[in-house]
Amino acid sequence: MNLIFILGTAGSGKSELTGSFTSWLEQQGEDVISVNLDPGAITLPYSPSVTVRDYVKVEEVMEEYSLGPNGGLMLACDMIIDVIDEIYREIQEFVPEVVLIDTPGQLELFAFRDTGARIAEKLGEESKAIIYLFDSVFCRDPLNYVMNMFIASAINIRFLLPQVSALSKADLLSEEEIEEIEGWGEDPLLLEAAIYSRLEGVDRILSQDMMDIINRLGLELNPIPISSRTYEGFSWLYSELARILTRGEKFTQ
Ligand SMILES: Nc1nc2c(ncn2[C@@H]2O[C@H](COP(=O)(O)OP(=O)(O)OP(=O)(O)O)[C@@H](O)[C@H]2O)c(=O)[nH]1
Ligand SMILES: [Mg+2]
């Protein structure tokens, strides 16, 4: 079984990708299911095979513990740990080859508290990978692009799992904009030039320093442009995941 966690900042397109990539993989003949781990997702753009909301719902947690939306979501995310064994059992009943896992809207609650890493740990011996979404609408700005590199690196260090970056909602950008962002991924000098010409003051210094640190880590972060609307980039994303998880073979033999 191959578990693929989809992470990204709030609104970056995690849920849409979970739904659209599940359908797309089905069309490729893959035995795939989707799992929702966001206790706050009152509506979803897909029907998950397994959902944490059968066990933990943010609105009930808020009411029971008299918490606001953020406190409620924080506690609800922590509570996933208590039900992860049951969720895992439910997943196993499907005997899938690929499991796409949608994660909570607030990335930091999943990735930077204990929750995410402990969940990944609890899911045992399965092969695992992460898709990190760079939200393309924000990534037109080099400062935001570097911020995303920084978060992607932090996730990499935190989870220590193979990771693929994707530039979500690519249909919202022009071809030139996508090419520019792809260039930043391939050649740090192009990113540096964009930082220099488009940013000034603290933004410029911050971006440059962060970029230097990230580059020193030596991580491959070049995001693959994808769209859940047009399915652009899905073949590329698929082949990257297969390369990482199954040495390029199809998941379902
Ligand atoms: N044009 C376009 N819009 C997209 C795409 N993917 C997501 N969106 C839109 O972006 C918004 C956020 O998408 P979601 O999939 O809910 O993002 P998310 O990361 O799950 O959001 P939260 O869980 O609330 O943090 C929605 O309005 C989507 O319709 C895409 O590929 N293209
Ligand atoms: Mg979502």
Side-chain angles (χ1 to χ4, degrees), residues 30-88:
E30 294 289 6
D31 193 356
V32 54
I33 64 164
S34 56
V35 173
N36 169 48
L37 279 192
D38 184 355
I42 294 171
T43 59
L44 282 169
Y46 63 97
S47 305
S49 297
V50 180
T51 175
V52 70
R53 283 182 56 82
D54 286 346
Y55 305 91
V56 186
K57 290 193 176 78
V58 73
E59 58 280 19
E60 289 174 4
V61 173
M62 281 167 64
E63 174 135 1
E64 196 175 335
Y65 297 91
S66 304
L67 294 167
N70 292 313
L73 197 57
M74 195 152 98
L75 182 56
C77 284
D78 287 350
M79 287 163 82
I80 303 174
I81 299 280
D82 303 329
V83 297
I84 197 67
D85 289 338
E86 275 124 284
I87 290 175
Y88 189 28

Side-chain angles (χ1 to χ4, degrees), residues 9-16 18 36 38 40-41 43-46 102-106:
T9 50
S12 58
K14 300 178 288 293
S15 301
E16 287 250 353
T18 306
N36 169 48
D38 184 355
T43 59
L44 282 169
Y46 63 97
D102 190 8
T103 61
Q106 263 76 355

Side-chain angles (χ1 to χ4, degrees), residues 8-18 20 38 41 44-45 102-107 133 135 168-172 226-230:
T9 50
S12 58
K14 300 178 288 293
S15 301
E16 287 250 353
L17 179 63
T18 306
S20 59
D38 184 355
L44 282 169
D102 190 8
T103 61
Q106 263 76 355
L107 164 87
L133 297 182
D135 191 332
S168 63
K169 312 179 197 173
D171 58 291
L172 296 178
I226 58 164
S227 165
S228 293
R229 295 284 156 80
T230 65

Side-chain angles (χ1 to χ4, degrees), residues 17 20-21 24-25 28 131 164-171 178 182 223-241:
L17 179 63
S20 59
F21 199 40
W24 189 88
L25 285 171
Q28 310 305 308
I131 300 174
V164 177
S165 304
L167 184 66
S168 63
K169 312 179 197 173
D171 58 291
I178 290 177
E182 280 188 299
I224 300 169
I226 58 164
S227 165
S228 293
R229 295 284 156 80
T230 65
Y231 292 0
E232 171 190 348
F234 278 12
S235 307
W236 185 0
L237 182 60
Y238 180 35
S239 61
E240 274 302 298
L241 290 165

